[in-house]
Amino acid sequence: MDISGGVGEGWMELPAGLPTGNYRLSAYTHYMRNEEESLFFHKIVSILNPFEKDNAVPVDSTGITPAIAAVQSPGSTLSVTTDQTAYSRRSEVQLRLSGVPENIHSLTVSVAGNDIDTGLPSSTLAGWQKSLLSQPPYPVADTYLPEYEGHIIEGRIVDTETGTPANGRGLAPMFAFVGDNITLFKGQTHHESSQVTFYTRRITGKREAATVAFSLEDKDKFRVDMVSPFVKHSFKEPPRLSLHPEWEKVLQKRAIGVQAAQLYIADSVSRTEVIPGYIRTQPDWVYKLDEYVRFPTMQDIVIEFITPLRFTRRGQDRSLSVLTEERMGF
């Protein structure tokens, strides 16, 4: 999720093996971690996994009355109207919003099918904001900074020989997203501490990351362990999910629609803006290792595949020679 001016938006991909049940969704910013967990936004969502062979969720035909309707928040004054009652295929639709609160920073409207009302308590941003006013005042710490320009990633420098935290003095920690467009960030170390902070910009999607801590004195002695950006929430048992027999056809239709969307438009949903890498030098040679049989070590791969490189050993020292651009020598 990219951040611009302190505002970001994104979407989540649920794992295929996620069990059916009710889940608690928590939303908070990096700066909100200075406050109590009770101030975070929470919402209960119901998830049904149609790929589960052994569905242990009980079926309740006497409990909640099934309803296929849009859930309206209690006390909400927001309403949506259209300019027509019916539309032809791919015709323009005009939506009119009324009753929008003045303190809304951003608003997103999506058009979809009717959802199943499971009877769970509804959580809205307006209700969450109203609950904040009833909270007693308390001092706010300044441990976590606001993310105005991009994600702030924390880490710890560790001595690989002893496994203990290392002082960041004299070290140059680096954080990078590898791939076709390499994005590199230099870490900011803290005085007399193993903590390191990476201030990133314009990072989106799921990408492989790598870290290293360079030292002019002790080579390959330090590593950077990333610190989880998530809060360790206290356990709260969510409400029990009961399925109603009359929901079967609707859930089957929704499951087929999700699978069709994943097959035909997943590349459009997950498409992100291509960000130019910080290292823009074009390579002289490209080797697609998937076209070859892999060797057990990277040293063997380099020696066997990358002919412009040559390793030599002199006693306990090993040197690497690179073929010149004129290809006249190493």
Side-chain angles (χ1 to χ4, degrees), residues 148-162:
Y148 289 122
E149 299 180 354
H151 296 285
I152 300 177
I153 302 176
E154 304 284 347
R156 300 285 182 183
I157 302 178
V158 178
D159 190 322
T160 56
E161 294 182 355
T162 63

Side-chain angles (χ1 to χ4, degrees), residues 65-113:
T65 302
I68 312 300
V71 180
Q72 298 293 335
S73 302
S76 176
T77 59
L78 180 64
S79 62
V80 182
T81 58
T82 60
D83 57 335
Q84 301 180 33
T85 57
Y87 297 90
S88 58
R89 183 181 297 272
R90 298 191 179 278
S91 60
E92 181 179 356
V93 178
Q94 295 183 2
L95 299 179
R96 299 184 181 89
L97 300 179
S98 59
V100 179
E102 297 181 356
N103 57 352
I104 291 296
H105 182 77
S106 61
L107 186 66
T108 302
V109 178
S110 61
V111 180

